[in-house]
Amino acid sequence: MTIKNALLVDDSKVARFALSKLLESRDMEVNMAGSAEEALDFLSSNDRPDVIFMDHLMPGMNGVEATKAIKGNPETAGIPIIMCTSKKSQSFTEEARNFGVYNILTKPPQVDGLSSVLEQLDSDVSGGTLPEPPALDFAEEASDEEPLDIPEDASLELSPKTEGDSKTSSQENQPQVVPLTSDLIEQIARSAVKTHINNRLHELLSSLFDEQFDHLKRVLDESSRKQEAVIEERLNAVTEMVESRTANLRDDVAAEVNLNLVQELTQVRKELSKNNGFTAENMSELKDHITSVQTIDTEFWQTLQSEAIQQAHEISRETAEDIAQRTIDLFISQQRSATSRIYTIGLAASLGVFAVGIAFISGLFG
């Protein structure tokens, strides 16, 4: 989502808190301002947010005036503004769009409505289809006050006394002057009082809501602390009860195990006591067994002795035969070596005599 941070402008702490929680649940960074003037100061000294949620009715500069001021500044004109108001109608929506509001969010905000507005805004920002800031005529200020029945180029003055028609001719070329009658004074006073009462009532209601919110928050915190204390106390009680019952259970299990061990040991002791010591019959059986074992051992030893003597004779005979064979082979090899040397000497002598003979014959016939 391209919408990552928002500026929330509302004079009510309750409204700011409720909307900020909804925005933070969507992983958005939220900055808040308690008035339109504070919002303008924030925009002039901080990075521009991705969207501004502007309250409609606020004391001092209202949401409409703040929107016009933001849209009239080239540095902030491109920031989409969502007007938060309980006055949502087709005519008001069209009027709001005329002075630069991107969309309307009904108060108190709901999750579905907020999601729909943010999804549409995200789509327009991603697609580059955000509406262009309107060219505003700041001479025309929106107002909820009753219009005064006074011409635009008229000035006010106290009702003059009638002095004839001499002054009438001299005032024909002057701007139209509306006499300040009691009805006009009453109308102006009523309008001013209504505006003052509306602003004051809004301030009182906002203050009342904030006090109620603070009081409710304190009550909830205190209730939460008490509830946590009660839960902690009950958990401790349950833990102690479980430990007590577990200890009793361990004792019961240990006692049962000890009883079973004692019974098993008693049974084993009885079995051992029955088989304790050798009887005469056991001794006789043991003697017979030893005698039979000795007889078997003697016969086995004699057999081993005779087999060992026979194997010794065979080894001696094989050794003597092997020595004799090696002696004969050595003698034969020595005889062959001597005969070979004599033959070599004779052959060499014969060759020498033959060579001398050839040499002599060669010298003789040469």
Side-chain angles (χ1 to χ4, degrees), residues 16 34 58 89 98 115-116 130 140 145 147 172 237 264 266 281 299 312 318 327 332 336 344 350-351 361:
R16 292 199 302 268
M58 292 182 291
S89 63
N98 291 334
S115 299
S116 176
L130 279 176
E140 299 179 0
E145 301 177 1
E172 288 180 356
E264 292 292 334
T266 303
E281 295 178 356
E299 294 176 353
E318 291 175 357
T327 302
I332 292 172
R336 288 178 178 176
T344 303
S350 299
L351 290 174
I361 293 171

Side-chain angles (χ1 to χ4, degrees), residues 2-60:
T2 57
I3 309 301
K4 298 296 184 181
N5 55 79
L7 174 61
L8 179 55
V9 186
D10 201 310
D11 62 316
S12 172
K13 292 182 181 179
V14 178
R16 292 199 302 268
F17 177 80
L19 185 53
S20 65
K21 290 302 178 184
L22 293 178
L23 295 175
E24 289 172 355
S25 65
R26 302 176 65 91
D27 297 329
M28 292 180 60
E29 180 183 352
V30 180
N31 294 299
M32 293 184 283
S35 65
E37 293 81 0
E38 185 179 345
L40 295 178
D41 292 338
F42 177 87
L43 293 174
S44 63
S45 58
N46 294 273
D47 295 335
R48 56 173 267 175
D50 295 331
V51 62
I52 299 175
F53 290 87
M54 181 72 68
D55 185 25
H56 180 201
L57 299 177
M58 292 182 291

